[in-house]
Each structure stands twice: as C-alpha cells, then as structure tokens.
Amino acid sequence: RIQILFEDYLVIMSMNEGYLVVGIVISIIVGVSFSFFKVYNKSPFVKDIFFLSAGLTIFFFCFGYSAFHVIGSAIVFYLLMWCIGISGVSCCTVLLGCLSYLLYGYITTSGVSYTITWTLIHCQVLLKICGYFFELYDAKVRYPQSFLTYMAYCCFPCSCLVGPSHSFKDYEAVIYSTKPPNALPFARRRFTLALVYIGVFYGVGQVWSTKTLLSHEFLGLSFPLKVVFWTMWSKWLITKYCGVWMVAETAASFTGLGADASGAFESLRNMDIYKFETSVTIQDELSSFNIKVHQWVKTNIYKRCRFLGNPVLSRIIALLFLYLWHGFYFGFFNLFLIEALGIETERILFKHINADILYRYIPRYVCYPAFYLLKNACVGYGLCGFALRTFERCHIFYKSVYYCFHWIMPVIILLDVMVGKLGARRRSSGEMEKED
C-alpha cells in the first residue's frame, strides 16, 4: 500500500500537480498573513511589494524559469500601453496578442495526457491584462498606473493560479483600503465546503480515473448503465474544480478582495453551490459554475461585439474565445458544443411544454428528479469529452454510447425549425384565404 501511494505521489509531482497544491497552500498563507500581520494598515506601495513578492514566489516555485513566459508577456503589454496608448485598436491588439501567445504555449506543451504548465497561470494573467486595458478604455480606473501596481495586480498571489478572476478596480480597493477585512465567516464556510468536495474527489479517485471511461468494464455495460455511470462519474470529476475554486476564494477573502460595503464577499464567489447542485436546467447550472470567467467573457467579449448587430454571432465569438482560452483539445470544443446545443434544446422544449399543464398530470416530485437527472446526464456527457480531451479517446467513449446527445439535440432543433416554417406557411395561406 505504501509503494502504491509513493507511485501516486511521483505521478502527481511529474504532472506538476504537487507543486500546484503547494502553490495554493502558499496563497492561503499569504491571505492569512495579510490579515494577521495587519498589512492592510500599510501604504499601497508596501502592499504592492507584498503581493508582487508572494506572486512571483508562487510562479517560480510552481513553474521555474517557465514563469518568465507570463512575466515577460505582462511587461511587453505594459510597454505597449505606453507606446500606442489606450484605444479600441490597442485593446484588440492586446487581446489577440495575449491569446496568440497562450495558443503558442498550448501548441508547444500539450500532449495526450494533461500536464500542468505555465499556460495555467497565463490563462489568469491574460484575463487580468486584457481586463485592465478594457477598464482603462472605459475610464473605470485611473490612467496611467505605476509599473509596480500593474505587476502586483497581474501576480496577485490569491488568484494567480486558479482564480477567481477580478478586475483592477477590485485590486485598487484592496491596496487603498485600511479596514481589516471581516473574512472569517465567509472563509470558514467556503473552506469547509472546499474540504468536503476535495475529500470526495480524492476519496472516489482511489477507484475512478479518466481511464475508467475507456476500460473494458465500462465499455461492456448496457446503455442505461453507461448513462448512469457517466452521470455519476462527471459529478465526481467536477468536485475537483469546485473544491479548488473555493480554496482560492478563501485565500482571496482574507485580503479583502471582493468585499462590498456591508463586508460580504458575494462578488468574490466563483461558484453558487446551492444553485449548482439543485438546478434542473443546463442554463442555470452554467450560470452557477465558473461565474467570474463567464462574467468576464460576457462583459469583454460578448457585449463588445454588439456592433455586429447579431447576438447569435456575438455568442459564437464568445464561445470560440472560451474554447481557445481552454486549449486546442477536441474535448474542450465538444463540451462547449454540447452545452450550446443543450441550452437551445431546453429553450425549444420549454417553449412547447406548458409547465402548468404538465404539473397537473405529473406531480412535481416526479418531474423535478426527472429533469435533474436528464440535465446531469447531458452536462456529464459533455464533461466526459472534456476529461478525455483528444479525439481518439473521445471517439472510443462516444461510439460506445452511440453519440446519442450529438444527434438527438440537433434533431430536436431541426424539427423546431421545420415546425416553425410549416406554421408560418399555414398562417400566411390562411390570411390569403381570408382576403379572398
């Protein structure tokens, strides 16, 4: 048993997951130290030094010299700001430049198996750099900012690894505030939930892994049992992200990041746990998961495409950005495709199904579990591809379940379009008969 645990430890360290865990622990220590040693009473300059030093420590500890990829990017785009100023063109240049360098990182570091590399922190820094330029363009923050403050914001230790994403305005509120953050109640609740989710992930992880979906045992199951299994497996997979994000929220709350006037930290939440666990629609689940990134994309990508005059095209561009931001793997694209098809299918079904009439014949205590299980099966179907990543591995899984959701949802959408056109034709013919 000791030998097995030691081999698991070597695998984790080889994927840099061990260093990532230590980095998250350091971020918690930084957050607690900020409150315990009353750094909040210090000047903005001291706070910038404190956060920048801690952030660089995490960067170099977790990724070594590869951290220069991220630090160099931040410096280059700061110099670009001074050279070409703030305009719509410069904001687009920064967005495309950051995204292109991230994609370069994915190309040079990606493989069949997932390995944590410097692209992890570049994902977070990309949102910060581009968000900072957009805030300057919208005149939401003062211009110009000192290089020290800008770098401390990019390297903010409590959000540099896994989020939560935050604006420069939120960081300014931290360095210019002298009030002690009342974070203990919020931090206690989130950290307790985080331990539960992480405990479930590592506990069940002794039995399940990504390879389970490709095992002979799974492939030999009947289709109904496969549906049940992939639904349960995907719920287990997502506990890792829930736990890690809530640990990061805990660390950030000790610095006062995201605190509102009443001292609450609602704007810091990256997960709405209750809504996430009880929602019966894909739309509700997505709106409660990875909230900060979705808000960033909605504000800085989707809404800024309004000049196109086509909300569908704006939505496609936003989804394309999310896909590229996550990486080139087929499984990532597949997940966003399934989510988009699922949301549209839900809209169609709820348009044609009268809830009042449905509940009149079928009790709510029957409808709710049915909707809940169907939603989890659909989301889990996409998450399995997200975990398998490559097309070859995804194909083995989806072929074994007949690519069911890949064709069921497009058929429903196509039928809705055909019914809509048929109804419009009948209405137009009826109006012509009345005129005659």
Side-chain angles (χ1 to χ4, degrees):
R1 180 62 180 174
I2 294 175
Q3 181 181 359
I4 293 174
L5 291 175
F6 181 70
E7 290 174 354
D8 290 343
Y9 168 78
L10 292 179
V11 171
I12 290 174
M13 295 303 287
S14 67
M15 296 174 64
N16 280 347
E17 286 188 2
Y19 297 111
L20 179 63
V21 171
V22 176
I24 293 174
V25 172
I26 294 174
S27 70
I28 296 175
I29 295 173
V30 170
V32 174
S33 301
F34 184 84
S35 294
F36 183 78
F37 294 108
K38 299 182 179 180
V39 181
Y40 53 80
N41 280 332
K42 307 300 181 181
S43 65
F45 175 79
V46 173
K47 293 177 184 176
D48 284 337
I49 293 292
F50 177 80
F51 290 133
L52 179 59
S53 302
L56 291 177
T57 300
I58 293 174
F59 280 9
F60 284 106
F61 177 82
C62 292
F63 304 102
Y65 292 115
S66 296
F68 280 117
H69 286 284
V70 181
I71 298 169
S73 297
I75 294 173
V76 166
F77 289 113
Y78 183 82
L79 295 176
L80 182 67
M81 177 184 68
W82 282 100
C83 293
I84 65 176
I86 300 299
S87 64
V89 174
S90 63
C91 289
C92 291
T93 302
V94 170
L95 178 62
L96 294 176
C98 281
L99 186 60
S100 298
Y101 198 72
L102 177 63
L103 298 180
Y104 159 77
Y106 286 142
I107 293 172
T108 56
T109 61
S110 62
V112 175
S113 59
Y114 180 65
T115 304
I116 296 173
T117 64
W118 60 268
T119 55
L120 175 74
I121 50 177
H122 192 72
C123 283
Q124 300 300 326
V125 173
L126 180 151
L127 300 182
K128 291 181 179 180
I129 294 174
C130 298
Y132 174 65
F133 269 76
F134 283 128
E135 285 183 275
L136 290 174
Y137 180 70
D138 296 335
K140 291 182 178 179
V141 296
R142 294 174 297 173
Y143 174 77
Q145 295 290 336
S146 70
F147 178 71
L148 175 63
T149 302
Y150 165 82
M151 289 301 296
Y153 163 65
C154 291
C155 301
F156 188 69
C158 299
S159 63
C160 63
L161 292 174
V162 293
S165 176
H166 57 89
S167 65
F168 185 84
K169 191 174 182 180
D170 291 332
Y171 177 75
E172 270 193 323
V174 172
I175 61 174
Y176 287 108
S177 174
T178 57
K179 295 180 180 179
N182 183 25
L184 194 57
F186 174 84
R188 184 168 53 238
R189 291 193 302 270
R190 302 304 275 184
F191 191 68
T192 302
L193 285 171
L195 291 179
V196 172
Y197 277 92
I198 293 173
V200 170
F201 177 77
Y202 281 104
V204 179
Q206 299 298 315
V207 181
W208 288 351
S209 68
T210 305
K211 295 179 181 179
T212 307
L213 296 175
L214 306 178
S215 65
H216 294 293
E217 291 80 4
F218 173 79
L219 297 177
L221 294 174
S222 63
F223 179 75
L225 288 179
K226 286 179 181 177
V227 175
V228 173
F229 184 83
W230 92 52
T231 302
M232 296 173 59
W233 188 91
S234 63
K235 292 295 287 184
W236 161 75
L237 175 70
I238 214 70
T239 57
K240 172 176 65 174
Y241 299 96
C242 297
V244 170
W245 284 338
M246 284 189 286
V247 169
E249 291 173 27
T250 302
S253 66
F254 281 111
T255 66
L257 183 72
D260 56 25
S262 62
F265 291 86
E266 294 301 320
S267 63
L268 187 62
R269 294 177 186 268
N270 205 25
M271 287 283 301
D272 186 339
I273 293 298
Y274 179 79
K275 186 177 180 181
F276 175 76
E277 296 292 358
T278 61
S279 61
V280 295
T281 65
I282 299 174
Q283 180 67 61
D284 286 343
E285 176 163 326
L286 294 181
S287 65
S288 64
F289 182 81
N290 205 3
I291 296 172
K292 303 303 291 183
V293 171
H294 291 162
Q295 288 178 348
W296 191 96
V297 173
K298 181 179 179 180
T299 301
N300 295 310
I301 304 296
Y302 176 75
K303 289 185 176 180
R304 295 185 189 278
C305 291
R306 285 180 296 187
F307 70 93
L308 298 173
N310 189 330
V312 175
L313 183 58
S314 299
R315 193 175 297 114
I316 291 174
I317 292 174
L319 288 174
L320 179 62
F321 172 84
L322 272 176
Y323 162 61
L324 295 176
W325 184 73
H326 280 85
F328 282 121
Y329 287 108
F330 168 80
F332 298 165
F333 172 78
N334 174 78
L335 173 62
F336 296 124
L337 175 64
I338 294 298
E339 288 176 348
L341 291 174
I343 292 173
E344 182 62 20
T345 304
E346 279 182 347
R347 185 191 66 80
I348 292 170
L349 294 178
F350 286 127
K351 179 179 68 175
H352 293 289
I353 297 175
N354 190 312
D356 294 332
I357 296 177
L358 179 66
Y359 293 142
R360 188 183 304 167
Y361 295 100
I362 304 177
R364 289 177 182 266
Y365 61 81
V366 175
C367 291
Y368 179 85
F371 290 154
Y372 181 78
L373 292 174
L374 183 60
K375 180 265 300 182
N376 281 313
C378 182
V379 174
Y381 180 83
L383 282 171
C384 290
F386 181 86
L388 294 171
R389 302 182 189 278
T390 63
F391 174 78
E392 292 76 12
R393 300 171 75 186
C394 289
H395 177 66
I396 294 173
F397 168 75
Y398 287 124
K399 182 182 178 181
S400 72
V401 295
Y402 314 110
Y403 279 88
C404 52
F405 281 103
H406 279 90
W407 61 266
I408 290 175
M409 293 189 292
V411 166
I412 293 175
I413 296 171
L414 182 61
L415 287 175
D416 179 68
V417 173
M418 294 173 63
V419 169
K421 289 184 177 181
L422 181 61
R425 188 179 302 171
R426 286 180 176 177
R427 285 192 298 269
S428 62
S429 61
E431 292 174 358
M432 291 176 64
E433 289 177 358
K434 289 181 181 180
E435 290 177 359
D436 294 339

